[in-house]
């Protein structure tokens, strides 16, 4: 057979792979004169032993295929590592070739697609459920809470309304759920009156002993359940964000005056989100460009150092919303923007919403890379433990 692989935009290379698939694995083939010995044909790939599935002498290095199947049994998408002679390894994604950076970017698109697909499933469930009169109508919530199912029992007390969203559970009607026929590890959004919303988790009782097949079912369902939990977390974050925005809009804007270094008086009105006290701006030694409105995000830190110096805890990816209306540095500072302290005293440029979104995507990609590296580290430590004599080691990890 032959396989066609795109190596550059607008061009393809066709390579004959007759020796790869002419015979099922383990079936002897007729060797040409001077052919290889049986042990040569079974020799693992020496160029890419960590991922190539081909054995013996071969030009085309093919990794294991990862396939998404449709409900009709046909392949929707596949991906695998490829390397042909005189070329660089690529990831074959469907009919196209991608490098590592492109693959990570596409993985982000797939995650968003998966979330969108989950949303469609939720909409379908909601549509189906709305046809059943036993399920309350979400719009019937007396308090107008967006996620509330409007259960009349939870709103009987005029002084205390308990709002909750639909219950999401894992493994409904699965045998591993045991007596919990509606599923286990259940959660739903909840809120009492006008208090801060949160996620309620419902769990009681024990699980039955699971055979191997049901453990596999549990693992498969956990993946989907985690996706649902992430979607609920995103919904909760959106609710919290809207509450904060509502409160900021309801906060009276502060107006204050100061005298600059030349004795000229200026009147300033802070944006609703500004958390600066501006006490330093009242020292009569300021220039209008020095006035900076800011809102500090949550702080994070990690231990690191320069040139093998002593490790200390320093800021990491700390974000600040700000604006300096009279900035002389750049017009980008004169409109609301976000600065991120990537590391101690190392900042990004002032970013607009699109630039911040791009920055987030980059950081998310690096988080995925760190997770991969974490797995590699775990494997490397396990391998190292088998070859290192702890009694002769001079260093404690």
């Amino acid at each position: 057979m032959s396989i066609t692989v795109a190596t550059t935009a607008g061009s393809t290379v066709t390579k004959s792979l007759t020796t790869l698939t002419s015979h099922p694995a383990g079936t002897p083939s007729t060797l040409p004169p001077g052919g290889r010995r049986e042990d040569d044909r079974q020799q693992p790939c020496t160029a890419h032993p960590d991922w190539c599935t081909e054995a013996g002498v071969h030009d085309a290095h093919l990794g294991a295929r990862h396939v998404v199947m449709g409900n009709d049994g046909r392949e929707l998408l596949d991906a695998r590592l490829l390397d042909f002679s005189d070329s660089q390894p690529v990831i074959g994604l469907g009919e196209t070739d991608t490098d590592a950076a492109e693959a990570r970017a596409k993985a982000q698109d797939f995650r968003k697609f998966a979330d969108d697909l989950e949303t469609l499933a939720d909409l379908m469930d909601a549509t189906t459920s709305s046809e059943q009169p036993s399920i309350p109508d979400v719009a019937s919530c007396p308090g107008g809470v967006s996620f509330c199912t409007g259960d009349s029992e939870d709103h009987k007390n005029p002084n205390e309304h308990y709002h909750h969203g639909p219950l999401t559970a894992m493994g409904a009607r699965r045998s591993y759920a045991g007596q919990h026929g509606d599923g286990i590890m259940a959660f739903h959004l909840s809120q009492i009156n006008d208090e801060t919303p949160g996620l309620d988790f419902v769990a009681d009782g024990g699980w039955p002993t699971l055979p191997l097949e049901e453990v596999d079912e549990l693992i498969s369902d956990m993946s989907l359940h985690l996706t649902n939990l992430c979607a609920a977390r995103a919904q909760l974050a959106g609710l919290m964000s809207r509450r904060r925005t509502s409160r900021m809009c309801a906060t009276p804007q502060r107006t204050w005056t100061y005298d600059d270094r030349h004795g000229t008086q200026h009147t300033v009105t802070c944006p609703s989100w500004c958390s600066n006290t501006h006490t330093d701006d009242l020292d009569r030694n300021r220039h209008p460009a020095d006035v900076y409105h800011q809102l500090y995000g949550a702080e994070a830190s990690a231990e690191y150092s320069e040139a093998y110096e002593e490790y200390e805890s320093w800021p990491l990816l700390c974000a600040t919303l700000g604006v300096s209306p009279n900035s002389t540095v750049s017009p980008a500072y004169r409109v609301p923007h976000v600065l991120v302290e990537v590391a101690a005293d190392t900042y990004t440029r002032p970013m607009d919403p699109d630039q911040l979104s791009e920055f987030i995507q980059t950081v998310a990609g690096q988080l995925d890379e760190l997770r991969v590296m974490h797995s590699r580290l775990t494997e490397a430590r396990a391998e190292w433990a088998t070859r290192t004599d702890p009694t002769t080691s001079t260093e404690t990890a």
Side-chain angles (χ1 to χ4, degrees):
M1 65 172 270
S2 65
I3 187 170
T4 302
V5 179
T7 56
T8 59
S11 66
T12 59
V13 174
T14 302
K15 288 190 174 282
S16 175
L17 302 182
T18 305
T19 59
L20 294 177
T21 56
S22 297
H23 303 277
T27 302
S29 60
T30 302
L31 295 177
R36 303 186 303 277
R37 298 192 308 272
E38 180 67 26
D39 56 349
D40 290 335
R41 295 198 304 273
Q42 301 303 320
Q43 182 68 29
C45 177
T46 57
H48 301 293
D50 52 340
W51 59 264
C52 181
T53 59
E54 303 302 318
V57 178
H58 54 278
D59 293 330
H61 304 281
L62 307 178
R65 293 180 73 230
H66 304 273
V67 182
V68 178
M69 302 296 295
N71 294 334
D72 57 359
R74 293 185 296 178
E75 294 182 7
L76 297 178
L77 185 66
D78 75 307
R80 71 192 309 179
L81 279 166
L82 303 169
D83 184 11
F84 297 98
S85 298
D86 303 322
S87 66
Q88 294 295 323
V90 297
I91 298 174
L93 181 62
E95 299 296 327
T96 62
D97 293 348
T98 63
D99 58 25
E102 292 169 338
R104 290 193 181 94
K106 191 55 61 179
Q108 292 292 330
D109 293 340
F110 290 157
R111 291 188 185 94
K112 183 180 183 302
F113 177 80
D115 291 341
D116 293 341
L117 186 60
E118 282 290 333
T119 300
L120 292 177
D122 292 341
L123 289 173
M124 181 176 178
D125 286 342
T127 301
T128 304
S129 299
S130 65
E131 298 173 358
Q132 303 174 6
S134 59
I135 304 298
D137 185 358
V138 174
S140 66
C141 173
V145 175
S146 60
F147 62 82
C148 181
T149 61
D151 191 328
S152 58
E153 289 297 315
D154 295 330
H155 296 79
K156 286 173 33 174
N157 186 341
N159 298 319
E160 185 176 74
H161 287 176
Y162 175 52
H163 309 284
H164 67 81
L167 193 69
T168 300
M170 183 182 75
R173 293 174 295 282
R174 291 277 203 185
S175 54
Y176 65 69
Q179 61 182 339
H180 311 290
D182 292 332
I184 58 179
M185 298 176 64
F187 61 85
H188 60 196
L189 282 165
S190 68
Q191 178 180 327
I192 298 177
N193 294 331
D194 194 35
E195 297 178 5
T196 302
L199 274 177
D200 274 354
F201 291 85
V202 183
D204 58 5
W207 292 7
T209 301
L210 307 182
L212 178 60
E213 294 78 9
E214 292 181 5
V215 171
D216 291 339
E217 287 182 346
L218 178 65
I219 292 172
S220 176
D221 291 344
M222 276 184 172
S223 176
L224 176 59
H225 197 59
L226 179 60
T227 300
N228 291 335
L229 181 57
C230 290
R233 189 264 177 204
Q235 184 181 5
L236 176 60
L239 291 170
M240 297 298 295
S241 176
R242 286 193 290 271
R243 287 172 67 91
R244 285 193 293 267
T245 301
S246 176
R247 288 172 181 171
M248 284 194 306
C249 292
T251 302
Q253 295 179 330
R254 292 176 294 154
T255 299
W256 47 280
T257 60
Y258 74 97
D259 293 334
D260 65 20
R261 66 188 64 172
H262 305 294
T264 304
Q265 189 176 80
H266 300 267
T267 300
V268 179
T269 299
C270 290
S272 60
W273 44 263
C274 177
S275 62
N276 281 354
T277 61
H278 294 287
T279 53
D280 292 341
D281 295 324
L282 304 178
D283 61 2
R284 297 177 178 269
N285 194 34
R286 295 285 161 170
H287 185 277
D290 298 327
V291 176
Y292 209 146
H293 305 286
Q294 293 170 298
L295 174 66
Y296 296 93
E299 294 185 355
S301 61
E303 288 192 350
Y304 53 91
S305 71
E306 293 184 3
Y308 302 101
E309 296 180 0
E310 182 178 354
Y311 291 97
E312 297 182 46
S313 182
W314 295 100
L316 180 68
L317 293 175
C318 298
T320 303
L321 173 64
V323 62
S324 179
N326 299 290
S327 173
T328 58
V329 177
S330 166
Y333 285 93
R334 298 175 199 157
V335 293
H337 59 271
V338 164
L339 290 174
V340 177
E341 189 174 11
V342 181
D345 298 323
T346 303
Y347 294 84
T348 64
R349 61 184 175 181
M351 294 182 287
D352 62 26
D354 290 340
Q355 292 166 336
L356 180 57
S357 177
E358 182 180 350
F359 179 82
I360 292 171
Q361 292 293 329
T362 301
V363 173
Q366 281 302 101
L367 286 177
D368 290 339
E369 181 65 22
L370 286 175
R371 293 186 181 98
V372 172
M373 195 60 70
H374 177 268
S375 177
R376 290 173 179 165
L377 173 60
T378 302
E379 295 171 359
R381 282 293 184 103
E383 176 189 342
W384 190 257
T386 64
R387 56 185 284 186
T388 304
D389 184 355
T391 62
T392 61
S393 177
T394 58
E395 181 181 25
T396 302

